[in-house]
Amino acid sequence: MHRLLAPLLLLLFALASVAGGAVWFIQRDRQALVEQFGRDRQAQLEEAATGVARSLEDLGDNLRFASELLAQPGSTGDHLNELRALLEAVGQYRAIAVLGPDGEERLFLVDHKSRHLPRDAVHPPALADTARQALTAPVGHVIPSHPIEGAASSGWMRVFATRIDSDAPGGGGAVAILVDTEPLFAPLRMVTVDGNTRLLLLGAHGTPAPMSDPALASWHGRLGESAGTLVPGLRALVARMRAGASGTLRLNEAEAQRLGLGQADAVATFRPLRMRGEASWSVATLSSTNALRSHERTLVLRLSLAALLVAVFLVAFGTYVVLANRRAVALRESLRHAARFAHLHEKTQKILDHIPTGILALNHEGRISAVNQALRARLPATAVGSTLPEAFPTAPSAAVQRLGALVLSARDKGAVRSLHGEPLSLFNEKDQFNVHAVPLEHGDGEASTLLVLEDLSNVRMLEDQLLRAEKLATVGVLAAGVAHEIGTPLGIIRGHAEYMLQKVGGVEHPQGRGLSAIVTQIDRVSRIIRQLLDLSRLQPARAGVVPLAPVVRGLQELLDVEAERRRVHFEWDVPERLPCLAADADQLQQVLLNLALNACDACTAGGHVRLSARACAAADAGAVEQVEIRVQDDGRGIAPEHLHQVFDPFFTTKKRGQGTGLGLSVVAQVVRNHGGQVGVDSEPGRGTVVTLRWPVAAAPGWEERHAV
């Protein structure tokens, strides 16, 4: 039965794919219909809103035209006649008021249709208030008022005002018009003839106009309360309308039902209505998608029929697959086993080739059938197919015989046989190996035994280096402890010796020379202590950008004094434009001082010491640029047998009592901590050259900063 599982699963997957595809197609088609529905509503709103926007633009132009007329020279009667003509020409204008720059009313006119109305209806307080607001606005900027309640058309009356240029003969002022805005927005009613569409019109101050659907206006008033969370789509719509945006927004079925749009999703379209980018209204329509439901039901019916036909086809195809599967099982199993065998063979070969330990495969005749990468370069090119003596032609016969005996023992016993740490000298006299002979339980004729050769030469070398490092560390800790313990008593002794030397009158006194010798020797011990502490407390370098020439100049005075005292000629050659070093300035100074003083000590009277530097390429490709620093003297030199010891702690070629052997150890540690190299070249009687290769700091623009 398990052979039928895959075809059945395939059939179920195919049926699920058909159903999923049908659902996806329905959703895609519904989404396309909704998008087309939104575009239609957006086009309808654009058509109606275009006329409204043009009317608002005309209103703004008329108001600015009135301000320009009032700014022209003329009598009050002339201005009154011009404003009356404007008032009578536009049926929506109810009254015009003109204020002077002091905010006092100068002119007031009412159209002939509104003269029978009470004064409060045509001369509301908002008329003067809005005009006064315009006094502080830029010339040409239109200021709208809030809706004026209680007027003839409740909620539609608004005041629009703009400022008169202050350069006018009357000193400027403001003109305001009381406007019945209902006729301006009347074209928007055409978009609500469909019973499934609701209108929301927000005024310039963000409040719903009377034309807005009562339910939408009610929800708009409650958006700031907790009820606003029930209509997040309406809240997002209002936020975009207030921001002056345009576009479409989709509301889910639950929210549409709360807003009174029926049990279907709703599509909201919105756009702003501007007066030259100044005062702005915003209008939105919310339309239910009930009409799309019937289309969707028809589409579902068609797709269900298509899915049924596809299902019948898939059942027939599944039956065919079940029959064909039985014939393909054997072939698939064969291919799987072959692929697995090839994979295992390749995997084994790669593992053996990348193991750092040498491995030989031997056949039943004791001949080598395979060699891994670790041994291939060390054996002759003809090693494969040869015997062990032929594969190791330079090895002693006794060592090769031990290998052969180990292989025979492992094969006879059927267990691993090993030799540990044997000095077999297979390739040179110092070779040491761990050897393991591993019999293969299911080995074929080509590989019955593996011979594993683990070279211990590098391990022994690392062990020796580690032992030497541990000894040096122990010596350093012990030296640091001793230096710390004797430092304080020595300071006390020196202080008393200096005090007694002053009391006896200096070195002229018979006891003065002895006291002076005490101070001198204590200073010598203090220098040794300081060097010990430098050796034991050397911290990792905190490299910065350090120019070499200023460091050398800072040392020049001290080195000149020491050179003069030793009667040695000191010179230095460090170009100012050298690249800056990546170094700790104090540690770099310490290194140069130690090397220069050692060079002076190595010279006799009349000797020469030279410190020079130059830029050079890195030794390794891809490494950073370096600066080579050389300290050269023509002193007594160092014997060849001592050259490899010069950087060891406590090793010195100076006479007993003249050096501690710590200076060059500190130099080597500092240079290596900075990623540099240090080397020494010397010839007895000819002098010594110490060479430092110091990394350059990766600091852009060093050449410009240090070119002065």
Side-chain angles (χ1 to χ4, degrees), residues 613-677:
R614 66 180 182 89
C616 63
D620 299 329
V624 297
E625 187 182 359
Q626 295 178 327
V627 168
E628 182 181 272
I629 305 172
R630 292 166 56 92
V631 180
Q632 183 176 2
D633 65 71
D634 56 1
R636 56 182 175 272
I638 304 172
E641 61 270 18
H642 294 154
L643 277 177
H644 68 285
Q645 297 177 282
V646 294
F647 296 114
D648 291 345
F650 308 111
F651 175 80
T652 180
T653 59
K654 297 178 182 178
K655 295 181 180 180
R656 186 177 182 83
Q658 293 184 0
T660 61
L662 297 175
L664 287 181
S665 297
V666 173
V667 167
Q669 289 194 50
V670 169
V671 174
R672 290 165 186 161
N673 281 348
H674 284 79
Q677 299 94 35

Side-chain angles (χ1 to χ4, degrees), residues 39-164:
R39 286 193 292 271
D40 293 342
R41 291 297 180 272
Q42 182 74 22
Q44 187 179 15
L45 179 62
E46 288 286 342
E47 182 179 357
T50 300
V52 177
R54 189 179 301 113
S55 298
L56 290 174
E57 286 287 347
D58 292 341
L59 171 59
D61 291 341
N62 289 337
L63 188 59
R64 281 184 283 270
F65 176 70
S67 68
E68 292 174 1
L69 288 177
L70 294 171
Q72 299 297 323
S75 65
T76 302
D78 294 338
H79 291 162
L80 193 62
N81 292 331
E82 292 168 348
L83 293 178
R84 188 177 301 280
L86 176 63
L87 189 62
E88 299 297 337
V90 183
Q92 293 85 14
Y93 297 171
R94 294 290 179 262
I96 298 178
V98 179
L99 273 65
D102 55 355
E104 295 297 327
E105 186 175 277
R106 293 184 176 179
L107 293 176
F108 176 72
L109 296 86
V110 180
D111 76 321
H112 70 280
K113 294 180 292 185
S114 303
R115 291 174 184 172
H116 65 280
L117 297 176
R119 180 176 174 81
D120 291 343
V122 294
H123 198 294
L127 194 63
D129 293 341
T130 308
R132 292 188 183 97
Q133 293 179 27
L135 289 174
T136 59
V139 175
H141 187 78
V142 178
I143 303 295
S145 71
H146 288 275
I148 300 174
E149 301 295 337
S153 297
S154 178
W156 284 110
M157 286 296 184
R158 291 178 184 261
V159 176
F160 297 85
T162 188
R163 186 166 72 90
I164 303 172

Side-chain angles (χ1 to χ4, degrees), residues 37-351:
F37 181 79
R39 286 193 292 271
D40 293 342
R41 291 297 180 272
Q42 182 74 22
Q44 187 179 15
L45 179 62
E46 288 286 342
E47 182 179 357
T50 300
V52 177
R54 189 179 301 113
S55 298
L56 290 174
E57 286 287 347
D58 292 341
L59 171 59
D61 291 341
N62 289 337
L63 188 59
R64 281 184 283 270
F65 176 70
S67 68
E68 292 174 1
L69 288 177
L70 294 171
Q72 299 297 323
S75 65
T76 302
D78 294 338
H79 291 162
L80 193 62
N81 292 331
E82 292 168 348
L83 293 178
R84 188 177 301 280
L86 176 63
L87 189 62
E88 299 297 337
V90 183
Q92 293 85 14
Y93 297 171
R94 294 290 179 262
I96 298 178
V98 179
L99 273 65
D102 55 355
E104 295 297 327
E105 186 175 277
R106 293 184 176 179
L107 293 176
F108 176 72
L109 296 86
V110 180
D111 76 321
H112 70 280
K113 294 180 292 185
S114 303
R115 291 174 184 172
H116 65 280
L117 297 176
R119 180 176 174 81
D120 291 343
V122 294
H123 198 294
L127 194 63
D129 293 341
T130 308
R132 292 188 183 97
Q133 293 179 27
L135 289 174
T136 59
V139 175
H141 187 78
V142 178
I143 303 295
S145 71
H146 288 275
I148 300 174
E149 301 295 337
S153 297
S154 178
W156 284 110
M157 286 296 184
R158 291 178 184 261
V159 176
F160 297 85
T162 188
R163 186 166 72 90
I164 303 172
D165 193 351
S166 58
D167 294 334
V175 57
I177 302 179
L178 178 64
V179 182
D180 181 6
T181 58
E182 183 177 9
L184 301 179
F185 295 98
L188 295 177
R189 295 187 186 278
M190 62 180 291
V191 299
T192 61
V193 294
D194 181 5
N196 293 323
T197 301
R198 303 288 186 270
L199 181 72
L200 178 62
L201 176 62
L202 298 183
H205 296 278
T207 57
M211 189 180 290
S212 300
D213 180 73
L216 296 180
S218 175
W219 278 105
H220 178 276
R222 292 184 290 163
L223 288 179
E225 306 170 3
S226 59
T229 59
L230 299 176
V231 286
L234 179 62
R235 184 166 56 188
L237 172 64
V238 170
R240 296 187 186 183
M241 292 173 68
R242 289 175 177 172
S246 62
T248 60
L249 188 66
R250 189 169 177 178
L251 283 67
N252 60 40
E253 182 177 342
E255 184 172 354
Q257 191 171 3
R258 293 191 189 99
L259 296 174
L261 295 171
Q263 296 182 348
D265 292 349
V267 175
T269 60
F270 52 95
R271 63 152 289 173
L273 303 170
R274 300 185 181 276
M275 297 177 63
R276 285 196 186 174
E278 298 172 358
S280 176
W281 280 256
S282 185
V283 61
T285 59
L286 287 82
S287 304
S288 175
T289 59
N290 266 326
L292 302 179
R293 288 293 179 91
S294 58
H295 176 80
E296 184 178 343
R297 295 190 190 98
T298 304
L299 182 63
V300 169
L301 182 61
R302 293 202 307 265
L303 289 177
S304 299
L305 180 61
L308 179 61
L309 294 176
V310 173
V312 172
F313 168 76
L314 290 177
V315 169
F317 177 73
T319 303
Y320 169 77
V321 170
V322 169
L323 297 176
N325 181 65
R326 295 179 178 178
R327 297 193 297 270
V329 168
L331 178 60
R332 284 201 302 270
E333 284 296 315
S334 299
L335 292 175
R336 186 175 65 84
H337 286 299
R340 181 172 178 81
F341 177 77
H343 172 71
L344 290 175
H345 178 74
E346 181 182 4
K347 183 177 180 180
T348 303
Q349 188 63 39
K350 288 183 177 179
I351 290 174

Side-chain angles (χ1 to χ4, degrees), residues 525-556:
V525 173
S526 297
R527 286 195 300 273
I528 296 173
I529 291 173
R530 190 161 50 252
Q531 290 179 338
L532 285 171
L533 292 177
D534 288 343
L535 180 66
S536 61
R537 295 178 181 174
L538 191 62
Q539 299 297 320
R542 296 181 179 178
V545 180
V546 179
L548 181 59
V551 174
V552 176
R553 285 198 301 270
L555 292 174
Q556 184 179 5

